Structure formats: C-alpha cells, structure tokens
Amino acid sequence: MLKIAVFVSGRGSNLKSIAEAIKNREIEAEIAAVVSDKLDCPAFTIPRKHSIPTYSVSEEPKRGFNDYSFLIEKFMELKIDLIVLAGFLKKIPDELVDKFENKIINIHPALLPSFGGKGMYGMNVHKAVFDRSCQVSGVTVHFVNKIYDNGKIITQRCVDISDVQTPEEIAERVIITEHKLLPFVIGKISRGEVIIKNNRVLLLN
Ligand code: GRF
C-alpha cells in the first residue's frame, strides 16, 4: 500500500479528491500525514477530522512549527513512499528533494512550462492565462526538483477556455480536471505504472 504525505496551504479541494478516491477504492493508498505551512488553512481541518497526523513546517525556526529535518525523520519512521504537493505554496527545501528524488509530485493549474515559476500559483496563474488570451489552459502533474515548477512532466490535460469571460471561469473549469488528474497519477504511481526511461516519464498501461 502506497503511503503518502500530502502538503497543503489552502482550501484543500485536491486533498479531498485524493481522500475520496482512496475511500472509493480507486487508489490503493493511505494518507499517512498532512503537512502545511499555514496552521489555520481550511485544508488542515480535513486530516484532523479523520485522525490523520498533521505537521506544520517552516523554513525558518518558528514557534509551533517543525523544521524539515524533523519532517524527514518522521517520514522515514512513517515509511512515506510519495509526497504530493496539493496546493502547497512554499518551495520544497533541497534536503527534502534529495531524500525523496522522483518521489515528490506537484499539481499545477496550467500547461507547464508556460505560466509556472515563483509567484505563479492560484489565481495569479489564471489571470496571466486570461490576460494572454489563451484559448486553451490545463493541468500539469510533474515531479518536483529544486526549481519551482521545473521537474519532469508526468502528465497533462488540456481545458478549452476559448469562451470564458473571466479568470475565475478558467479556475472553475481547470479545478474539475485537477480533481480527476491528481488521483489518476497517484493511482498509476501506486501500481508502478510511472517510470522514467530515456530521460522521459512514461505512463504504462
Ligand atoms: C490548485 O489549483 C492547485 O493546482 C494549485 O493550488 C490550488 C489548490 O487548491 N497548486 P486546493 O487547496 O487543492 O483546493
């Protein structure tokens, strides 16, 4: 059984979609930890209701927050196989990337490598896509490396936005695809169907 740690900073709708997929037995996985940099974010209330251990992290020492070395030790103890960034806004420190090489994935609400990088999250992404008058946006799930939104792409889905009137409409359409794609990728990883060959990510059937 794949043991996952989910990192969140916001409302937690992607975390919910993963939990649902597990509950409906679409994925054989267990959410063994939820981590956040924001103690009061709505996403952090979800694991507490289900008795899933939560950890708060900060890059700098702060009262009530754990540092990343503590987290790495915990993850080793919990035997975490995969880290899923589901709306986590902080950069993942290099020490965690080194320890979990090709075992950290992120969901991005646009088609990378466009509209990614530092500061490109949430509505900032959708506003930029809208202002550029893109006709298509989408969702990217990718491995996390030491640079923002730069790791190898696992899979992408396009979303037609040719008739939208506002960036909010883009967000509404894109999130529907996010909620399907992230559980899909976690399922694939849990079955060993995501491999890297010839420097490219391959999804096996
Ligand atoms: C999602 O759009 C995700 O792609 C982005 O942040 C948003 C998080 O939404 N990285 P939620 O907290 O999962 O509802």
Side-chain angles (χ1 to χ4, degrees):
M1 165 101 63
L2 191 81
K3 290 187 93 180
I4 60 180
V6 184
F7 283 45
V8 292
S9 300
R11 94 200 123 164
S13 68
N14 277 292
L15 170 61
K16 275 192 194 149
S17 74
I18 300 166
E20 284 283 298
I22 292 173
K23 199 170 132 214
N24 298 338
R25 296 179 179 274
E26 289 155 32
I27 313 177
E28 269 222 40
E30 178 198 340
I31 301 175
V34 175
V35 176
S36 183
D37 59 319
K38 290 200 174 94
L39 288 178
D40 55 354
C41 72
F44 226 24
T45 61
I46 303 165
R48 289 191 185 129
K49 276 190 212 145
H50 296 91
S51 315
I52 296 168
T54 56
Y55 303 95
S56 46
V57 276
S58 166
E59 279 160 68
E60 300 106 43
K62 265 200 238 174
R63 227 181 130 82
F65 285 78
N66 308 124
D67 64 9
Y68 278 89
S69 341
F70 170 85
L71 204 63
I72 290 171
E73 268 178 42
K74 263 286 157 222
F75 284 1
M76 294 298 154
E77 206 178 296
L78 293 169
K79 298 192 173 15
I80 296 294
D81 302 299
L82 179 72
I83 295 173
V84 179
L85 310 186
F88 185 67
L89 300 183
K90 287 277 156 58
K91 189 160 180 298
I92 295 296
D94 291 357
E95 52 175 328
L96 191 58
V97 177
D98 285 335
K99 263 280 185 271
F100 284 81
E101 201 191 355
N102 294 332
K103 286 181 180 163
I104 310 179
I105 63 170
N106 179 46
I107 183 152
H108 185 78
L111 295 172
L112 290 175
S114 295
F115 304 107
K118 193 164 164 47
M120 287 304 261
Y121 59 84
M123 282 311 294
N124 296 352
V125 176
H126 302 304
K127 280 189 186 122
V129 168
F130 183 84
D131 288 344
R132 192 64 186 270
S133 202
C134 293
Q135 306 297 301
V136 173
S137 188
V139 180
T140 303
V141 180
H142 64 94
F143 284 117
V144 171
N145 65 11
K146 293 177 183 170
I147 305 168
Y148 268 119
D149 297 328
N150 176 263
K152 282 188 192 300
I153 291 169
I154 300 170
T155 193
Q156 296 181 296
R157 292 290 182 276
C158 295
V159 175
D160 180 3
I161 52 162
S162 53
D163 59 341
V164 297
Q165 309 285 326
T166 62
E168 286 72 21
E169 265 185 79
I170 301 178
E172 280 164 24
R173 284 190 198 182
V174 166
I175 198 84
I176 296 170
T177 300
E178 287 188 49
H179 292 162
K180 292 183 194 141
L181 201 61
L182 193 52
F184 166 79
V185 171
I186 296 169
K188 285 260 175 219
I189 292 174
S190 73
R191 296 188 296 274
E193 292 171 359
V194 177
I195 61 162
I196 299 177
K197 198 176 167 192
N198 296 333
N199 218 21
R200 275 180 75 80
V201 178
L202 286 186
L203 299 192
L204 309 174
N205 285 315

